[in-house]
Amino acid sequence: MRENGNGQPGWTFLTNHARVLLTVARDPEMRLRDVAARCGVTERTVQAIVADLEEGGYLARARAADGRRNRYRVNPDAPFRHPAEGGHEIAGLLELLARADDRESGRTPGTSSAMDEGADA
């Protein structure tokens, strides 16, 4: 397997689009610069990805209650884009990775999280 220069694998299972979507689902009010830091990409890349996700119907943007930040709502009913995953909604991926987050954090699966609030808002 090829490496990317810093000892990490040169490829991953999730795309940057999936990583940004999951990060926003976990914290709908996170600043894009913080999303970029968490995902390991530039803020400009995150801005372009968020625009793609909004255009594709995966995210909706609104002003947060404080009037200073954006709040994002994930559309869990949006389908995967590739024909190989046709007929599946992104909700399954979000739920799968939320369960993994719950196990890592010690939360009881099914309890409220930022991802739940973002999906339901």
Side-chain angles (χ1 to χ4, degrees):
M1 179 180 349
R2 292 182 301 223
E3 293 184 357
N4 65 6
N6 62 357
Q8 298 295 318
W11 62 273
T12 62
F13 281 105
L14 296 178
T15 66
N16 287 336
H17 281 66
R19 233 178 251 109
V20 167
L21 182 67
L22 290 166
T23 301
V24 169
R26 289 175 181 137
D27 186 352
E29 292 186 18
M30 184 180 280
R31 295 178 305 176
L32 293 186
R33 98 175 44 141
D34 298 328
V35 172
R38 176 149 310 150
C39 294
V41 296
T42 66
E43 187 174 354
R44 183 175 291 228
T45 296
V46 170
Q47 290 168 346
I49 290 171
V50 166
D52 288 345
L53 293 171
E54 284 182 291
E55 185 177 316
Y58 294 89
L59 282 180
R61 180 188 340 211
R63 259 312 158 202
D66 67 6
R68 296 177 43 215
R69 291 186 180 195
N70 289 322
R71 178 175 177 82
Y72 297 90
R73 186 182 55 79
V74 174
N75 176 8
D77 299 326
F80 281 98
R81 290 173 49 102
H82 196 279
E85 292 87 31
H88 294 281
E89 297 170 345
I90 62 168
L93 178 65
L94 297 173
E95 290 168 12
L96 174 69
L97 293 171
R99 284 193 306 263
D101 286 349
D102 288 343
R103 283 192 302 272
E104 290 174 13
S105 70
R107 271 195 321 253
T108 303
T111 58
S112 181
S113 70
M115 189 171 70
D116 297 328
E117 294 167 15
D120 294 338

